């Protein structure tokens, strides 16, 4: 990478916090579920797409036209091994919970749901691995020779059509297989390539002049208009809130263009870099600590504000401490999520 890209620190921190709070709202909704909690989800649906976008953007900036030897092997070690470790933890915990609740299921069948059908929040890792393979092929086949802009518009249409048709037809696949299919996320891959192509980094080579559409869509006005429309649709009860919705694609496109324009060269403060360091560990571990908190407070009739504060403290602190301990060894980092260098 030519230099530190401050925008990425901001985006990764936002994505981490967004995923954390989105899952926290799942617990809050068991006590409070109204329009206010729905509206809180609007900015949080961008969490998972941000992580996927960053993965391609960073590699494209760092490696350009060729990836180093062992690129895919490194990704398997540090992405798929945590998928297996945390998948085993979460699947075993659910198996025990169902047994204790008098609804026993077979251990193998339950594990199959997690590992093969990606039926837990780690499905993100399967999508990321597909992106890594796609970028490896992108460099190997020298596809950087082609302008990615037309492919960005095609991919947006493909992703929007995929989610729209799947939900319209009521497609139901085992686990999260519908979600891990790359068609629903391919727009993120090409958006990253387009933004790298026109990124004004400091180097001897001048970045190409940004197209007019990119300049216009990075004006905050368009994002404000879209958010107002989404709020109105939320009030009318027309929206479902997840990162796997048709309307998330234009929201993410506009949000990213605005962020990359206005956050450029704004130095990320220490707390943003701190979140970056532990973002992978927080993403993987926080639902485990939410569940532990629920088990501890279940007999208590706590006010909702106290309950939320406990979830935040336990989820964040537990995830960070676990990641700190895991990263004292190389094997621990591979199994529980490598701490990022910032």
């Amino acid at each position: 990478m030519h230099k530190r890209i401050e925008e990425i620190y901001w985006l990764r921190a936002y994505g981490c916090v967004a995923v954390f709070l989105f899952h926290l709202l799942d617990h809050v909704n068991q006590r409070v579920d109204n329009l206010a909690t729905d509206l809180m989800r609007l900015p949080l649906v961008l969490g998972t797409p941000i992580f996927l976008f960053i993965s391609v953007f960073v590699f494209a900036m760092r490696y350009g036209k060729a990836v180093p030897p062992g690129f895919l092997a490194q990704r398997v070690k540090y992405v798929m091994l945590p998928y297996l470790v945390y998948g085993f933890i979460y699947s075993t915990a659910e198996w025990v919970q169902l047994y204790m609740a008098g609804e026993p299921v077979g251990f193998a069948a339950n594990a199959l749901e997690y590992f093969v059908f990606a039926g837990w929040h780690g499905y993100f890792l399967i999508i990321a691995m597909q992106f890594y393979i796609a970028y490896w092929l992108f460099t190997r086949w020298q596809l950087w020779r082609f302008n990615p802009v037309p492919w960005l518009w095609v991919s947006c249409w493909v992703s929007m059509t995929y989610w729209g048709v799947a939900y319209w037809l009521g497609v139901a696949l085992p686990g999260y297989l519908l979600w891990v299919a790359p068609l629903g996320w391919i727009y993120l891959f090409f958006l990253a390539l387009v933004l790298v192509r026109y990124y004004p980094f400091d180097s001897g080579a001048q970045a190409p002049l940004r197209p007019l559409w990119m300049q216009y869509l990075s004006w905050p006005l368009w994002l404000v208009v879209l958010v107002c429309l989404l709020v109105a649709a939320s009030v009318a009860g027309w929206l479902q809130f997840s990162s796997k919705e048709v309307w998330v694609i234009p929201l993410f496109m506009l949000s990213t263009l605005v962020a990359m324009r206005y956050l450029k060269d704004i130095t990320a403060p220490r707390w943003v870099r701190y979140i970056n360091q532990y973002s992978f560990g927080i993403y993987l571990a926080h639902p485990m600590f939410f569940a532990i908190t629920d088990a501890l407070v279940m007999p208590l009739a706590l006010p909702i504000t106290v309950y939320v504060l406990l979830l935040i403290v336990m989820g964040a602190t537990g995830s960070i401490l676990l990641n700190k301990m895991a990263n004292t060894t190389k094997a621990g980092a591979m199994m529980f999520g490598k701490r990022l260098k910032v």
Side-chain angles (χ1 to χ4, degrees), residues 255-274:
S255 299
T256 305
L257 289 171
V258 170
M260 296 296 286
R261 175 178 180 178
Y262 289 97
L263 292 176
K264 179 171 172 51
D265 294 331
I266 298 180
T267 303
R270 184 175 297 178
W271 65 269
V272 169
R273 293 175 183 270
Y274 189 81

Side-chain angles (χ1 to χ4, degrees), residues 154-210:
V154 171
S155 65
C156 286
W157 178 83
V158 168
S159 293
M160 295 176 74
T161 301
Y162 176 80
W163 294 124
V165 171
Y167 293 137
W168 180 48
L169 297 179
V171 176
L173 300 178
Y176 291 163
L177 290 183
L178 180 67
W179 296 358
V180 300
L183 292 179
W185 310 96
I186 193 66
Y187 73 99
L188 298 167
F189 185 88
F190 287 103
L191 177 61
L193 294 181
V194 168
L195 290 181
V196 168
R197 180 184 179 90
Y198 294 104
Y199 188 81
F201 50 77
D202 297 328
S203 70
Q206 184 68 31
L209 182 66
R210 293 190 309 161

Side-chain angles (χ1 to χ4, degrees), residues 318-329:
S319 300
I320 291 172
L321 290 178
L322 175 60
N323 198 251
K324 278 180 179 286
M325 290 188 293
N327 276 262
T328 57
T329 65

Side-chain angles (χ1 to χ4, degrees), residues 49-107:
I50 284 175
F51 278 110
L52 295 170
F53 164 80
I54 288 174
S55 65
V56 180
F57 184 92
V58 169
F59 287 143
M61 287 293 290
R62 179 180 296 159
Y63 301 129
K65 299 177 181 180
V67 296
F71 172 79
L72 288 180
Q74 281 291 99
R75 306 285 83 74
V76 169
K77 283 196 300 185
Y78 287 102
V79 173
M80 295 312 298
L81 188 55
Y83 176 82
L84 297 175
V85 170
Y86 277 99
F88 177 78
I89 292 172
Y90 286 116
S91 65
T92 303
E94 183 177 0
W95 177 72
V96 171
Q97 182 181 18
L98 290 172
Y99 179 81
M100 298 289 289
E103 302 174 11
V105 296
F107 183 85

Side-chain angles (χ1 to χ4, degrees), residues 19-20 23 27 81-98 105-107 109-115 118-123 125 176 280-292 314-315 318-319 322 335-336:
V19 170
F20 182 93
H23 292 155
H27 292 257
L81 188 55
Y83 176 82
L84 297 175
V85 170
Y86 277 99
F88 177 78
I89 292 172
Y90 286 116
S91 65
T92 303
E94 183 177 0
W95 177 72
V96 171
Q97 182 181 18
L98 290 172
V105 296
F107 183 85
N110 192 60
L112 181 72
E113 179 79 10
Y114 275 75
F115 290 114
W120 63 292
H121 71 281
Y123 74 91
L125 300 175
Y176 291 163
F280 192 34
I282 293 172
Y283 184 98
L284 291 170
H286 70 273
M288 177 169 58
F289 291 99
F290 285 170
I292 292 172
M314 289 284 289
S319 300
L322 175 60
M335 290 191 296
F336 291 93

Side-chain angles (χ1 to χ4, degrees), residues 138 144 146-153 190 193-195 197-198:
F138 173 79
W144 39 262
F146 302 98
N147 185 352
V149 172
W151 293 102
L152 171 61
W153 301 121
F190 287 103
L193 294 181
V194 168
L195 290 181
R197 180 184 179 90
Y198 294 104

